[in-house]
Amino acid sequence: MTDAEEQAAREYLREAGYEVLSGFLPSKTSYRDAQNHGRSVTETRIDALNAKAHRLIQSLINKVDAMADHPASPPD
């Protein structure tokens, strides 16, 4: 995925009303290989891919933490 494709996908999701996290996992054989061998996406043999996975996971953790600090109001 090119940078332009990533930005277009992010903009499309935002316009559709979704919140977009920082980072993404590109479609890479190394991620599939890690998972096929019982490892996580942060445990590939390629440091740059592990860093991408860590960035996305940290973004998710930050979002969950923020939601815990400010829970949504229950529906009426």
Side-chain angles (χ1 to χ4, degrees):
M1 173 180 280
T2 66
D3 289 343
E5 290 171 324
E6 177 191 356
Q7 290 307 315
R10 288 177 176 286
E11 185 60 29
Y12 175 82
L13 291 170
R14 283 187 195 102
E15 288 176 6
Y18 293 98
E19 184 170 347
V20 181
L21 298 173
S22 298
F24 75 101
L25 292 184
S27 179
K28 296 287 187 179
T29 303
S30 294
Y31 288 130
R32 291 189 296 274
D33 287 346
Q35 292 180 312
N36 287 341
H37 290 95
R39 295 186 308 270
S40 74
V41 292
T42 62
E43 298 175 311
T44 72
R45 295 174 189 205
I46 301 171
D47 290 339
L49 292 181
N50 296 343
K52 283 183 180 284
H54 278 286
R55 179 177 178 212
L56 178 59
I57 292 167
Q58 188 61 56
S59 178
L60 180 58
I61 290 168
N62 294 346
K63 177 61 180 172
V64 170
D65 282 346
M67 290 173 67
D69 291 341
H70 299 78
S73 300
D76 293 333

